[in-house]
Amino acid sequence: MRIIIKMFLLSGLVLTGVSAQDQIYAIKVPGNVGNIGPESKAWFSTKYIDVILYPQTINKVIDSEVSILGEKAKKARVKALYDGNNISFLIEWKDTTKNIKEDCCSKASVDGFALQFPTVYSDVSKLPYISMGSKDRPVVIHLRKAAAEDHRHNGFQDLEEYYDSVHEPIKGHGKVDYGRVFITEGFRSVTKSKDDNASGVMDMIYKDGVWKGTLSRPLKAEYLDLSNGAFPVSFVMWDGNLNNGDRIEYLSSWVGVKLLGDRGGYELLSALKSQADGDIYNGEKLAIENCAACHNFSKSVTAPAYMAPNLSNVGGYSTAQYLMESIIDPNAVIVPNYKPNIQPDFPWYNLDEDGNLISTMPSYDWMDEKSIEDLVAYFKTLKAEVE
């Protein structure tokens, strides 16, 4: 199995018509970027890179009242700076409405953003699931929701309530100014406590219809080492006006970050940008023949609504390597959010005698290399139009 996946990675080339996400260049600057906000003049020293975030259509099968299949993707702009010890990100996105946490007891959906980093990223073919990580593939997540100025220090009770109620109690919340940081290996996982040095600082400001958010954190801490020349990051955004704060996320794929001036990381960056060198039209034919009975996607919406994850935007927030692995070895990453009380007739997974999750999706490792590359090439085209 590993040999097959490695062979695919070596043969993966950029597919004409399917663009890869540009990488982010972190500029090294003098001084300390460990606590710079959205309006710092330090940001003038570097340029923005566009990052596209796609609505996570997997939630459609969880709550049929949430219609997101018509939602367009969001464009954000990102900058990065580092000083040798710390790294800072600036993310900017348009939002015509400002939705903030007015008080400690408000239940209204609010605007917010998050950055997530895989704790292990040496093998791009084994990166975690893009949302909340996956078993044995943890991610460090920095999350910030918008709060009124005079409630910043206590206005994040809603985050604790949200993650405690939806993903089970979280142990050892890391402390971030006006936000949270935690480690998770998937939905309903218990996070590990964080050391103080890993926390970082987050902030948000809204001006003229635009949100700007920043995260500053150490390059190297107990649970996460970003000092190897390059690393992956994924961005998440919520729009409170859509009342989607805890149900719909806009996600980017894993995006490569290069520390300019530091050696190493080029192999990782190249692998992140690689695409399947396949025949899209044959891939669509194969997807309809082999996948449409359980999954809904694009032109094929014949499967029962709760049968399996919706793949309508899977090409936007998934890497080619993740799609290859999922086709060959469905047990490698079990997609979260299956709820037996809502989907009793269509379990996404079963438990073996040791309590491990076993996907109900069969392996397609019997397919030849070209057919799998064609499938991946087609799935990479499944993404919403950019707003």
Side-chain angles (χ1 to χ4, degrees), residues 135-209:
K135 188 178 187 308
D136 299 324
R137 302 182 188 183
V139 292
V140 172
I141 299 180
H142 292 265
L143 186 151
R144 171 75 159 88
K145 290 280 184 86
E149 195 73 24
D150 57 344
H151 291 287
R152 278 181 160 178
H153 289 284
N154 62 8
F156 276 80
Q157 182 180 352
D158 65 319
L159 294 181
E160 187 165 353
E161 292 173 351
Y162 163 54
Y163 283 104
D164 285 357
S165 63
V166 178
H167 308 306
E168 292 188 356
I170 289 178
K171 309 298 183 183
H173 289 297
K175 299 300 181 182
V176 176
D177 289 351
Y178 323 138
R180 293 207 177 277
V181 56
F182 50 95
I183 298 178
T184 179
E185 295 182 24
F187 287 83
R188 297 175 181 83
S189 68
V190 177
T191 63
K192 302 174 183 177
S193 61
K194 300 286 296 172
D195 62 293
D196 292 339
N197 293 331
S199 295
V201 179
M202 300 185 79
D203 201 1
M204 296 177 69
I205 61 169
Y206 184 82
K207 184 177 181 181
D208 299 330

Side-chain angles (χ1 to χ4, degrees), residues 12-308:
L13 301 175
V14 175
L15 176 70
T16 302
V18 180
S19 60
Q21 174 67 62
D22 289 336
Q23 62 197 30
I24 298 168
Y25 296 97
I27 305 296
K28 191 171 186 178
V29 295
N32 183 358
V33 301
N35 189 12
I36 60 174
E39 296 184 302
S40 171
K41 293 181 179 179
W43 295 115
F44 293 145
S45 61
T46 186
K47 296 181 179 180
Y48 281 109
I49 294 294
D50 288 342
V51 173
I52 308 301
L53 295 86
Y54 294 88
Q56 190 189 30
T57 46
I58 183 177
N59 292 277
K60 175 64 178 177
V61 303
I62 302 305
D63 188 345
S64 59
E65 296 179 357
V66 179
S67 179
I68 63 173
L69 296 182
E71 287 290 328
K72 293 184 178 180
K74 308 284 186 182
K75 180 187 289 186
R77 303 197 302 165
V78 177
K79 292 183 176 184
L81 299 171
Y82 77 109
D83 59 23
N85 296 311
N86 305 286
I87 188 163
S88 186
F89 291 90
L90 170 66
I91 179 170
E92 173 184 305
W93 70 96
K94 292 181 179 179
D95 189 346
T96 57
T97 57
K98 179 182 180 182
N99 299 276
I100 65 174
K101 182 79 171 177
E102 295 288 355
D103 56 63
C104 66
C105 303
S106 171
K107 297 296 183 180
S109 294
V110 298
D111 300 329
F113 74 103
L115 282 77
Q116 54 184 339
F117 307 88
T119 61
V120 178
Y121 49 87
S122 56
D123 185 353
V124 171
S125 70
K126 300 294 183 183
L127 288 177
Y129 181 67
I130 198 65
S131 176
M132 300 292 289
S134 43
K135 188 178 187 308
D136 299 324
R137 302 182 188 183
V139 292
V140 172
I141 299 180
H142 292 265
L143 186 151
R144 171 75 159 88
K145 290 280 184 86
E149 195 73 24
D150 57 344
H151 291 287
R152 278 181 160 178
H153 289 284
N154 62 8
F156 276 80
Q157 182 180 352
D158 65 319
L159 294 181
E160 187 165 353
E161 292 173 351
Y162 163 54
Y163 283 104
D164 285 357
S165 63
V166 178
H167 308 306
E168 292 188 356
I170 289 178
K171 309 298 183 183
H173 289 297
K175 299 300 181 182
V176 176
D177 289 351
Y178 323 138
R180 293 207 177 277
V181 56
F182 50 95
I183 298 178
T184 179
E185 295 182 24
F187 287 83
R188 297 175 181 83
S189 68
V190 177
T191 63
K192 302 174 183 177
S193 61
K194 300 286 296 172
D195 62 293
D196 292 339
N197 293 331
S199 295
V201 179
M202 300 185 79
D203 201 1
M204 296 177 69
I205 61 169
Y206 184 82
K207 184 177 181 181
D208 299 330
V210 174
W211 275 112
K212 289 185 177 182
T214 50
L215 163 67
S216 299
R217 59 152 293 130
L219 274 170
K220 190 173 183 178
E222 180 181 354
Y223 297 103
L224 183 62
D225 185 355
L226 304 177
S227 63
N228 300 310
F231 58 86
V233 64
S234 175
F235 300 89
V236 188
M237 184 269 285
W238 293 267
D239 183 349
N241 189 54
L242 298 177
N243 196 32
N244 65 12
D246 62 354
R247 291 192 293 183
I248 304 175
E249 297 172 327
Y250 290 86
L251 300 164
S252 79
S253 184
W254 292 114
V255 183
V257 180
K258 174 58 186 167
L259 302 178
L260 289 181
D262 280 16
R263 297 181 178 180
Y266 295 104
E267 184 177 348
L268 178 143
L269 295 172
S270 177
L272 279 174
K273 295 189 70 172
S274 68
Q275 303 293 314
D277 183 19
D279 182 336
I280 292 174
Y281 300 103
N282 187 53
E284 180 179 11
K285 176 177 177 290
L286 291 170
I288 292 174
E289 291 174 351
N290 295 277
C291 312
C294 300
H295 296 278
N296 285 318
F297 52 88
S298 187
K299 301 174 183 177
S300 178
V301 290
T302 58
Y306 301 115
M307 187 76 173

